[in-house]
C-alpha cells in the first residue's frame, strides 16, 4: 500500500515544499537567501517530479498527470536561476566582484546604465529581472 501511495505523497509534498520555498527564495532579502538549500531542493524536486510524472503518465489519470506536468514545468522554468543564486551568494563575493560583474555585463549587453549590486531590498527576483540568467557564465 505504501508503494502505491508514494507517487501521490511525492506529488503533494513536493508541490507544497516547492511553492513555499520558491516564494521565499524570490522575495527574501538577498543576505538571507540560502543558495545551497535552493540548489538542493530544486534538484530533488526536479528528480521527484520526473519520476512522479512518469508514474502518472502510465495511469489513466489525466487531471493528476496535468498537475504533475505543471509542477515539473514550474521547476524547469526556475532551473536556470539556480546557478545565478549559487554563484552570487558565495561567501567570497565582495563589492569588487559585483563591480566587475557590472562592468562585464555592461560591455557585453551594450547597456551603459546596467548596474547590479545587492543593496538593501535586493532579492533574487531583482537579479532575474536584471537579466542575469543571460550572463550565467559571467556570474
Amino acid at each position: 500500500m505504501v508503494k502505491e501511495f508514494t507517487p501521490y505523497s511525492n506529488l503533494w509534498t513536493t508541490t507544497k515544499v516547492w511553492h513555499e520555498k520558491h516564494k521565499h527564495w524570490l522575495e527574501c532579502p538577498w543576505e538571507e537567501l540560502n543558495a545551497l538549500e535552493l540548489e538542493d531542493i530544486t534538484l530533488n524536486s526536479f528528480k521527484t517530479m520526473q519520476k512522479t510524472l512518469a508514474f502518472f503518465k502510465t495511469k489513466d489519470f489525466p487531471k493528476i498527470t496535468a498537475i504533475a506536468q505543471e509542477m515539473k514545468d514550474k521547476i524547469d522554468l526556475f532551473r536556470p536561476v539556480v546557478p545565478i543564486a549559487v554563484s552570487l551568494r558565495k561567501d567570497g563575493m565582495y563589492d569588487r566582484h559585483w563591480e566587475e560583474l557590472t562592468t562585464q555585463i555592461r560591455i557585453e549587453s551594450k547597456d551603459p546604465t546596467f548596474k547590479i549590486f545587492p543593496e538593501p531590498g535586493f532579492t533574487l527576483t531583482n537579479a532575474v529581472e536584471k537579466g542575469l540568467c543571460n550572463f550565467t557564465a559571467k556570474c
Side-chain angles (χ1 to χ4, degrees):
M1 184 166 167
V2 170
K3 188 176 179 180
E4 292 173 18
F5 184 70
T6 299
Y8 299 93
S9 174
N10 286 344
L11 174 62
W12 300 121
T13 303
T14 302
T15 298
K16 179 184 183 299
V17 169
W18 179 259
H19 282 291
E20 289 172 354
K21 292 295 186 176
H22 182 254
K23 181 176 172 48
H24 172 74
W25 296 329
L26 290 174
E27 297 175 357
C28 75
W30 185 251
E31 60 277 1
E32 292 176 20
L33 179 65
N34 184 337
L36 297 179
E37 175 194 62
L38 177 152
E39 181 180 43
D40 185 51
I41 290 174
T42 301
L43 178 62
N44 288 331
S45 295
F46 177 75
K47 288 178 180 179
T48 300
M49 290 314 299
Q50 276 188 310
K51 290 177 189 174
T52 302
L53 182 59
F55 171 82
F56 285 118
K57 281 184 175 179
T58 65
K59 306 295 180 190
D60 189 23
F61 303 128
K63 290 183 180 179
I64 201 162
T65 302
I67 292 168
Q69 182 66 57
E70 181 181 339
M71 276 308 304
K72 183 182 173 298
D73 292 346
K74 286 180 181 182
I75 296 166
D76 279 341
L77 189 62
F78 186 74
R79 288 179 66 204
V81 176
V82 174
I84 301 299
V86 171
S87 297
L88 299 180
R89 278 295 297 141
K90 288 187 177 188
D91 289 337
M93 194 69 178
Y94 297 110
D95 290 354
R96 70 178 189 271
H97 298 120
W98 288 99
E99 291 167 9
E100 182 179 331
L101 180 62
T102 294
T103 301
Q104 289 181 7
I105 293 174
R106 189 179 290 152
I107 291 168
E108 191 172 318
S109 69
K110 297 179 173 85
D111 178 0
T113 64
F114 182 85
K115 182 170 176 23
I116 187 81
F117 191 79
E119 301 168 330
F122 186 77
T123 64
L124 183 57
T125 298
N126 298 129
V128 171
E129 288 172 349
K130 288 278 192 175
L132 290 184
C133 291
N134 298 324
F135 301 98
T136 302
K138 299 277 185 219
C139 294

